Amino acid sequence: MVKVLLVDDDVDLTSLLSQYLMREGFDVNTVQDGEAGVAEAISNDYALVVLDIMMPRLSGIEALRRIRAASAVPVLMLTARGDNIDRIVGLDMGADDYVPKPCTPGELVARIRAILRRVEGRGSATTSAQRVLQVGDLSLWPGSRRATWRGAPLELTGTEFRLLEVLARHSGQLVSKQDISQQAFDRPLARFDRRIDVHISSIRQKLGTRPDGQSWIQSVRGLGYQLLED
């Protein structure tokens, strides 16, 4: 059975969600505060962690930071509906997705399965951590979310890593923003959503320019982006 950890101080909600998840075939454990959630997440072999943002003792954002420092386990954030700041911060720090609260159990299960499909598509955790995605001087290790550029560590946020990984897997090809959103976040691009553009701009700055002065990531207005191979 797939092991899932629920970290939320709302006892009634975690009881409801855990019962539904167990009926759907998941092995579920629950804890009610951030510190206990971090300890449990990094000490046991969970396939995924569901982490609430607003919790006592330790916020979900800080809990995510500590989990990411020790583990690449997929993390799904539970956010207050419309709480864009925490949602964006969570994704940038390495969360795999988010679900606004209140959410239905069916919606949560759908997002969990979508994340697990992405993880399974990369192979086992051990294999993925060792497999490198190489494009010119860029090296990406999706399993461990590590990157190097020209032999030096490349510091990327969680969102930046996912976007660059999509472009690297299609290097030399134009990828539409709609496809980038689907592959990086497993959701369609929302109307007027400029998040991809903002993060691509940040990645460009970190990569610097080509010998000809152009960016390594080319854009075609209204269509998408392309990572140049050399």
Side-chain angles (χ1 to χ4, degrees):
M1 297 178 69
V2 176
K3 291 180 62 178
V4 173
L5 175 65
L6 294 181
V7 186
D8 195 322
D9 63 318
D10 187 332
V11 177
D12 291 336
L13 178 62
T14 53
S15 176
L16 171 67
L17 294 178
S18 62
Q19 289 179 35
Y20 190 92
L21 285 167
M22 285 188 287
R23 287 201 299 270
E24 291 293 315
F26 293 94
D27 180 9
V28 184
N29 188 24
T30 63
V31 294
Q32 273 70 52
D33 69 79
E35 288 189 357
V38 172
E40 184 67 19
I42 64 179
S43 64
N44 288 284
D45 187 23
Y46 288 98
L48 183 138
V49 176
V50 179
L51 181 63
D52 187 30
I53 284 183
M54 298 297 296
M55 288 184 297
R57 299 182 64 187
L58 194 71
S59 73
I61 295 295
E62 177 60 21
L64 173 64
R65 187 188 68 79
R66 296 187 187 184
I67 291 172
R68 274 290 161 265
S71 172
V73 62
V75 176
L76 175 64
M77 304 293 291
L78 294 178
T79 72
R81 190 170 297 276
D83 196 352
N84 292 327
I85 298 300
D86 280 344
R87 182 188 71 198
I88 292 171
V89 169
L91 290 174
D92 282 351
M93 291 179 60
D96 292 84
D97 205 348
Y98 69 93
V99 173
K101 295 172 66 175
C103 64
T104 65
E107 180 183 11
L108 182 65
V109 168
R111 301 312 305 172
I112 288 174
R113 285 180 170 155
I115 293 172
L116 294 178
R117 283 196 300 270
R118 292 205 301 266
V119 173
E120 289 168 1
R122 297 171 181 167
S124 68
T126 300
T127 302
S128 295
Q130 296 173 344
R131 186 181 300 135
V132 60
L133 177 59
Q134 189 82 40
V135 179
D137 291 327
L138 174 68
S139 301
L140 299 174
W141 288 264
S144 57
R145 303 190 187 202
R146 186 166 62 89
T148 63
W149 174 241
R150 294 172 174 168
L154 179 62
E155 297 299 327
L156 299 169
T157 67
T159 298
E160 289 169 356
F161 189 96
R162 287 197 294 277
L163 293 175
L164 188 54
E165 180 186 352
V166 171
L167 294 178
R169 291 188 184 281
H170 301 278
S171 62
Q173 305 173 36
L174 180 66
V175 188
S176 72
K177 289 201 289 185
Q178 190 64 250
D179 286 342
I180 292 173
S181 182
Q182 282 289 170
Q183 294 178 44
F185 311 118
D186 202 35
R187 64 175 70 240
L189 183 68
R191 191 179 182 187
F192 306 124
D193 188 346
R194 299 279 298 171
R195 185 156 54 100
I196 288 177
D197 302 306
V198 171
H199 289 294
I200 291 292
S201 177
S202 177
I203 297 171
R204 280 172 163 165
Q205 292 180 15
K206 293 178 180 182
L207 295 180
T209 57
R210 291 158 44 87
D212 60 8
Q214 296 187 62
S215 171
W216 286 97
I217 300 177
Q218 298 288 301
S219 63
V220 178
R221 187 174 179 83
L223 294 178
Y225 292 98
Q226 174 185 6
L227 177 65
L228 301 181
E229 297 177 320
D230 52 35

